[in-house]
Amino acid sequence: MNYHSVILCHFDLLNLKTPIEQKLLNFYKAKIFAKNCCNKEKVTDPQKIEQVYKDVFEKFSKYAISEDRIQKMQNVMLDTNPENFISEDNYYPELFPNLAESPLGIDIYARSLLFNKIAINVLNQFYPDDLKKPDDIIHVTNTGYLSPGPVQTFVDQKQWFNTCVTHSYQMGCYGAFPAVRMASGFLYSSWKGFQHAKKKLHIDIVHTEVFSLHTNVDEITPENIINMTLFGDGFVKYSAYISNEFDNLNTSGLKILTNYEEVFHNSSENLYWIPDKHHFYFYLSKNVPHVIKKNILNFVINLCDQIGINFLENKNNFIYAVHPGGPKIVQYVQEMLDLTDEQMQISRKTFFNHGNVSSSTIPIAWKDIVEDNSIPKGQKIITIGFGPGITASGLIFEKI
């Protein structure tokens, strides 16, 4: 193995709160949507209130992501303790302290401070005092933005003054891929690019996705109901090692063979993520799966071309970790690449067990591959993420 190979390993998944069954999550969310509808329309008659709740629950039954697709998700901002409620059926008391007067909840400034608090809590749990500090930390998130960021605050608190901090923000659900490219570049350049630089051995990548911070109960539209029941919260940490350092670890990992990224032409209006006054506004068009379906085969052919592999001749030699942005995306990728259910089971398993946790989703799939003893060393993996652009980003790994 060449000393400048880069390997991902030591995947760590954190639950700040116990994941909640999807059926129950949908119930809680439908109730606060219905409560907000009654407040906005000034409905006070008990029979009319009952009808509003019935109508909202029917919409959730039709449009919400059901429990046969997602078993459970983590939702940090949800609080089902009645003692914390300002008003009945308000399951997000920190976001909506006065739902009747402010259905949009606290503003983006206050939500950013909450994000900072949550992210620093995550970092403290990922880095106990006895854990060796990394050379660098790359922080990935789509759900928070502030400067200095929580990782900068954290390394200052730890007095890790020579640990470099880099941000990989607002890249969408494919955010892990540019972060891995950054880590590879930082490691490689310290060995080959800068002759007198200190050699980097170990870089950590940390994802803090708190989609529940951007809960929006003010729009009873199919698109918003889908978004509010599709996305969960996810916190993942993993490490990138230069290969001669990895060889001393006595662990399994994923060696990076190549990467490739592409923006699909004329697709930007289908997916976007914009800071609004009260929350980040997310739009996911129903056309997204169709855009991916149209472009995915050529994308994977180009990805494999980077290392001289003919995809059409070798597709059965790979397993696949494709970002499960939703059930249709996985289905269409499988159809267009002509793959078996077994080859796609990692994506469906990740979605079923965690939901769509934005940039944290694919690293959870990578963790499962590394820890699954039925997947042998030497197995090659094609992994793909999607996000605004519409951007597709891919890596090919070899399990070692």
Side-chain angles (χ1 to χ4, degrees):
M1 185 186 296
N2 295 327
Y3 70 84
H4 52 73
S5 297
V6 175
I7 297 95
L8 305 183
C9 63
H10 292 163
F11 291 86
D12 191 4
L13 174 63
L14 174 67
N15 285 327
L16 283 183
K17 285 190 175 180
T18 303
I20 301 173
E21 291 183 3
Q22 181 75 350
K23 185 176 182 178
L24 193 55
L25 265 177
N26 289 348
F27 171 77
Y28 289 138
K29 291 173 182 178
K31 287 190 77 175
I32 190 172
F33 270 74
K35 180 70 175 180
N36 191 47
C37 278
C38 290
N39 288 341
K40 286 175 64 178
E41 297 171 14
K42 296 182 169 47
V43 178
T44 57
D45 179 78
Q47 287 187 328
K48 291 183 179 180
I49 289 174
E50 185 178 345
Q51 185 61 48
V52 169
Y53 274 69
K54 182 181 177 182
D55 292 344
V56 170
F57 271 83
E58 284 181 356
K59 287 185 178 180
F60 264 73
S61 177
K62 184 175 181 179
Y63 297 113
I65 306 298
S66 63
E67 64 270 20
D68 63 328
R69 299 291 190 177
I70 299 174
Q71 180 187 41
K72 57 187 176 181
M73 288 197 293
Q74 183 178 189
N75 193 300
V76 171
M77 299 310 300
L78 184 76
D79 187 345
T80 57
N81 182 356
E83 294 180 2
N84 295 330
F85 295 171
I86 305 298
S87 60
E88 184 185 3
D89 296 345
N90 183 357
Y91 299 102
Y92 294 88
E94 285 190 278
L95 296 181
F96 305 101
N98 192 333
L99 189 63
E101 293 185 10
S102 182
L104 293 173
I106 60 176
D107 62 21
I108 196 68
Y109 176 83
R111 295 191 197 216
S112 297
L113 295 181
L114 271 176
F115 173 81
N116 193 58
K117 177 182 175 182
I118 291 166
I120 290 176
N121 181 15
V122 168
L123 290 160
N124 277 306
Q125 295 193 51
F126 273 145
Y127 290 99
D129 290 339
D130 59 346
L131 194 68
K132 183 180 177 181
K133 70 174 182 177
D135 293 309
D136 291 41
I137 299 176
I138 300 172
H139 181 210
V140 187
T141 188
N142 301 297
T143 51
Y145 177 80
L146 64 164
S147 186
V151 178
Q152 291 165 296
T153 302
F154 174 77
V155 297
D156 179 47
Q157 291 173 351
K158 297 284 280 190
Q159 298 186 42
W160 292 354
F161 302 126
N162 58 353
T163 293
C164 297
V165 177
T166 305
H167 300 142
S168 181
Y169 287 176
Q170 314 309 329
M171 306 295 283
C173 295
Y174 73 98
F177 294 80
V180 169
R181 290 202 307 271
M182 289 179 194
S184 300
F186 297 162
L187 288 168
Y188 185 75
S189 64
S190 78
W191 284 83
K192 294 287 286 183
F194 306 113
Q195 292 184 357
H196 302 292
K198 178 187 175 184
K199 300 297 184 280
K200 294 181 186 289
L201 304 174
H202 163 208
I203 293 175
D204 282 348
I205 301 172
V206 178
H207 296 246
T208 59
E209 296 293 10
V210 197
F211 193 89
S212 62
L213 265 176
H214 304 287
T215 298
N216 171 15
V217 301
D218 198 47
E219 297 179 33
I220 314 293
T221 61
E223 293 82 5
N224 192 46
I225 291 172
I226 290 169
N227 290 341
M228 291 303 113
T229 58
L230 173 66
F231 288 90
D233 300 334
F235 310 100
V236 185
K237 176 175 77 71
Y238 48 103
S239 300
Y241 280 89
I242 206 77
S243 54
N244 61 342
E245 181 73 5
F246 173 83
D247 292 342
N248 300 322
L249 299 178
N250 191 29
T251 190
S252 297
L254 300 172
K255 182 170 75 167
I256 300 167
L257 302 183
T258 192
N259 70 84
Y260 177 71
E261 188 168 292
E262 188 176 309
V263 176
F264 295 153
H265 178 58
N266 247 356
S267 63
S268 60
E269 74 280 1
N270 290 288
L271 177 59
Y272 49 84
W273 183 237
I274 300 173
D276 207 342
K277 292 180 181 179
H278 290 267
H279 49 72
F280 288 0
Y281 184 82
F282 184 63
Y283 176 72
L284 178 67
S285 164
K286 63 182 180 181
N287 293 325
V288 168
H290 300 282
V291 173
I292 291 171
K293 183 178 183 179
K294 177 182 176 182
N295 291 278
I296 190 62
L297 179 57
N298 283 337
F299 173 81
V300 176
I301 288 172
N302 290 336
L303 171 63
C304 290
D305 279 349
Q306 307 302 308
I307 50 174
I309 292 177
N310 184 306
F311 170 72
L312 296 176
E313 293 177 1
N314 292 277
K315 64 184 176 183
N316 292 330
N317 298 328
F318 294 98
I319 61 172
Y320 298 79
V322 177
H323 176 70
K328 282 289 186 184
I329 290 176
V330 176
Q331 175 190 333
Y332 287 166
V333 170
Q334 180 175 351
E335 289 177 5
M336 297 308 296
L337 301 186
D338 190 23
L339 304 176
T340 65
D341 288 343
E342 185 178 3
Q343 286 175 298
M344 294 295 290
Q345 67 178 347
I346 294 164
S347 296
R348 289 194 171 92
K349 175 187 172 185
T350 303
F351 188 63
F352 185 67
N353 288 335
H354 304 276
N356 185 338
V357 286
S358 193
S359 74
S360 297
T361 314
I362 279 293
I364 292 173
W366 297 344
K367 178 180 186 292
D368 288 343
I369 292 169
V370 168
E371 296 176 357
D372 187 343
N373 292 329
S374 70
I375 299 175
K377 292 184 178 180
Q379 174 66 62
K380 290 183 174 60
I381 302 105
I382 289 177
T383 182
I384 308 165
F386 305 105
I390 290 172
T391 302
S393 195
L395 289 158
I396 298 179
F397 292 130
E398 179 183 344
K399 184 174 178 179
I400 62 173

